[in-house]
Amino acid sequence: MSEPITLEVFSDYVCPWCYLGDNRVKQLRANYDVRIKLVHFPLHPETPAEGRTLADMFGVGDDEIAAKNARMQGLMQAEGLSFKDRSHTYNSRLAQEIGKWAETQPGGEAIHDKFFEAYFVEQRNIGDVAVILDIVAKAGLDVDAARGVLEQRTFKDAVDEDWAKSQQYGVTGVPTFVGAGPDGQLHGLVGAQPYEGLEQLMQVMGAQKLES
């Protein structure tokens, strides 16, 4: 049996379109022989530790932020995803480093969902160390080990490499989906693609459909 193809998904935990796209990637994984590789992207790396209001970031008033939230709420409901109105964005850098570490632990990939849920559903600051460690605990991972990762920045280089790959590939927005076809040529899609678009990408890449 051939090896599964690899789909790189460039993403950030504070990106609502990434939260939406992640749900469609789960469906893709259920239907195709595909290995998903999360590549962390620096969406708003300048965000201070305490966070920043969306109104300030987008330079708009509260009414427009409310309208943005209403549109996003409708999209999330259509996907069966929970979503609470956002007022702030937060610095996701340390969460990304913990996400990289978690992937080295048994069952650690579950933490990606936990970070999305903590931000988009629970409205928590995922840049706060105490919040991150609580999320680690909820994911069933070793809190003391995670604390050491944060204190020593053990996975700083790994996230730096992801950010460098984003630049190398020319990724400027997330989510972005990239994979190689049978001839080795890279193919990609940008944005929260409908499932059908991702399925077409699988076909171009030569992914095997799983038997139902």
Side-chain angles (χ1 to χ4, degrees), residues 114-132:
K114 298 295 185 188
F115 276 126
F116 279 131
E117 290 164 8
Y119 177 54
F120 289 107
V121 183
E122 299 167 5
Q123 301 174 316
R124 304 180 78 185
N125 178 357
I126 62 168
D128 182 88
V129 170
V131 171
I132 291 172

Side-chain angles (χ1 to χ4, degrees), residues 22-88:
D22 180 69
N23 200 53
R24 294 168 184 170
V25 167
K26 287 185 175 70
Q27 187 180 351
L28 201 68
R29 195 185 317 205
N31 293 329
Y32 285 88
D33 188 21
V34 56
R35 180 187 296 115
I36 305 299
K37 182 181 179 185
L38 181 67
V39 183
H40 294 286
F41 177 84
L43 185 59
H44 300 297
E46 75 288 349
T47 304
E50 67 275 12
R52 184 181 181 191
T53 67
L54 296 182
D56 177 51
M57 184 174 72
F58 291 120
V60 299
D62 291 339
D63 287 349
E64 189 161 340
I65 294 301
K68 286 177 181 289
N69 278 324
R71 286 194 297 271
M72 194 58 65
Q73 184 73 252
L75 291 168
M76 296 297 180
Q77 284 179 349
E79 294 282 329
L81 291 171
S82 296
F83 177 84
K84 296 287 178 63
D85 287 354
R86 295 189 303 152
S87 60
H88 288 70

